[in-house]
C-alpha cells in the first residue's frame, strides 16, 4: 500500500512539473522568400524575393528560465522562384509542411523591460505537398522539366523572439530559414529555399 501511495505521489508530482513547464501556441505571418535553383544546363534562377505566408502551431518545454525546446508545424504557402531569359520571365511556386525543432535561449534579468527576449536555432524538416505551379513566360511550356519525386528537404532555422509579458501570451518573432539539402532534385535541376519570416504568436 505504501508503494502505491509513493508511486501515486511521484506521478502527480511529475505531471504537475511537466504541465507547469509545457506550453502550446499558434502562430502565423507573412514574409518573403526565394528558391535558389540551378538547371543541369547551367541556367540559374533570378534572386527575386516573393511574398509568402506561413502559419501553424507548436509546443514547447522549458527546462529552466533560460533554455526551452520548441517543436512546431507550419503550412508554408507559395514557396517559389523565377527566372528570365530572352523571351521573358517564368514564375514557379509550391507549398510545403515545415517542422522546425528549435532550441531557444531566453535572456533573463533585463531591467526595465516587461517582456522577454529570446533567440532560437535548430533544424527544419520540410515536406512538399503540392506539385510545382508554373506560370510560363520566357520558358518553354514543358511542365515535366519541373517534375521531381523528392518531397523532403532539411534545413536550418534561426531567429529572435520577444514576449510581451513574462508569462504566456502574445509574442513577436522573426526567423530565417535556409534549406541545406536539395529540396527537389532530379536530372534537370536542384533547388533550395531562403525565407525571411516575421510572425505573431500566442502561447498558453
Amino acid at each position: 500500500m505504501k508503494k502505491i501511495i509513493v508511486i501515486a505521489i511521484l506521478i502527480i508530482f511529475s505531471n504537475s512539473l511537466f504541465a507547469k513547464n509545457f506550453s502550446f501556441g499558434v502562430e502565423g505571418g507573412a514574409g518573403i522568400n526565394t528558391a535558389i535553383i540551378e538547371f543541369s544546363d547551367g541556367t540559374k534562377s533570378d534572386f527575386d524575393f516573393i511574398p509568402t505566408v506561413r502559419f501553424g502551431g507548436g509546443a514547447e518545454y522549458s527546462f529552466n528560465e533560460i533554455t526551452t525546446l520548441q517543436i512546431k508545424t507550419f503550412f508554408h504557402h507559395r514557396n517559389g522562384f523565377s527566372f528570365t531569359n530572352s523571351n521573358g520571365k517564368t514564375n514557379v511556386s509550391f507549398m510545403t509542411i515545415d517542422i522546425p525543432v528549435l532550441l531557444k535561449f531566453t535572456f533573463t534579468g533585463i531591467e526595465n523591460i516587461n517582456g522577454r527576449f529570446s533567440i532560437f536555432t535548430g533544424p527544419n524538416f520540410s515536406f512538399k505537398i503540392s506539385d510545382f505551379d508554373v506560370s510560363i513566360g520566357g520558358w518553354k511550356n514543358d511542365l515535366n522539366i519541373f517534375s521531381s519525386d523528392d518531397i523532403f528537404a532539411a534545413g536550418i532555422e534561426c531567429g529572435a523572439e520577444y514576449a510581451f509579458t513574462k508569462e504566456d501570451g502574445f509574442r513577436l518573432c522573426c526567423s530565417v530559414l535556409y534549406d541545406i539539402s536539395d529540396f527537389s532534385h532530379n536530372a534537370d535541376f536542384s533547388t533550395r529555399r531562403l525565407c525571411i519570416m516575421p510572425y505573431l504568436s500566442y502561447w498558453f
Side-chain angles (χ1 to χ4, degrees), residues 37-62:
I37 187 171
E38 182 174 0
F39 291 92
S40 56
D41 64 359
T43 302
K44 294 183 179 181
S45 62
D46 302 335
F47 198 75
D48 290 340
F49 281 99
I50 63 174
T52 184
V53 176
R54 194 183 190 209
F55 59 89
E60 67 177 21
Y61 181 79
S62 299

Side-chain angles (χ1 to χ4, degrees), residues 121-140:
T121 187
N124 178 78
F125 307 99
S126 296
F127 300 87
K128 182 162 64 73
I129 59 173
S130 74
D131 294 329
F132 286 103
D133 181 17
V134 182
S135 174
I136 300 298
W139 202 253
K140 62 181 180 179

Side-chain angles (χ1 to χ4, degrees), residues 6-189:
V6 171
I7 293 174
I9 293 174
L10 290 175
I11 292 175
I12 294 172
F13 176 77
S14 61
N15 286 341
S16 299
L17 180 63
F18 185 76
K20 180 181 178 181
N21 295 343
F22 206 83
S23 298
F24 296 93
V26 292
E27 52 193 37
I32 53 176
N33 72 185
T34 187
I36 304 167
I37 187 171
E38 182 174 0
F39 291 92
S40 56
D41 64 359
T43 302
K44 294 183 179 181
S45 62
D46 302 335
F47 198 75
D48 290 340
F49 281 99
I50 63 174
T52 184
V53 176
R54 194 183 190 209
F55 59 89
E60 67 177 21
Y61 181 79
S62 299
F63 298 100
N64 48 52
E65 293 183 353
I66 299 176
T67 309
T68 301
L69 178 66
Q70 289 185 332
I71 301 177
K72 305 177 183 180
T73 302
F74 291 112
F75 172 74
H76 195 165
H77 177 63
R78 194 168 168 76
N79 303 267
F81 56 92
S82 63
F83 51 89
T84 304
N85 63 12
S86 59
N87 296 319
K89 177 176 286 189
T90 297
N91 297 312
V92 183
S93 63
F94 56 99
M95 293 180 288
T96 63
I97 295 293
D98 297 339
I99 305 176
V101 180
L102 306 171
L103 194 60
K104 184 176 74 172
F105 301 96
T106 301
F107 297 98
T108 60
I110 302 178
E111 296 182 359
N112 302 321
I113 295 181
N114 294 326
R116 293 173 290 128
F117 283 101
S118 305
I119 58 173
F120 54 83
T121 187
N124 178 78
F125 307 99
S126 296
F127 300 87
K128 182 162 64 73
I129 59 173
S130 74
D131 294 329
F132 286 103
D133 181 17
V134 182
S135 174
I136 300 298
W139 202 253
K140 62 181 180 179
N141 192 8
D142 182 6
L143 298 183
N144 291 327
I145 196 171
F146 300 104
S147 64
S148 175
D149 294 330
D150 297 338
I151 63 171
F152 172 77
I156 186 74
E157 184 163 347
C158 60
E161 173 187 279
Y162 172 71
F164 292 96
T165 63
K166 299 291 185 181
E167 305 298 330
D168 292 327
F170 283 103
R171 304 176 187 177
L172 182 63
C173 315
C174 184
S175 69
V176 178
L177 168 65
Y178 179 70
D179 289 326
I180 295 176
S181 63
D182 289 336
F183 196 92
S184 297
H185 180 76
N186 59 15
D188 294 316
F189 71 95

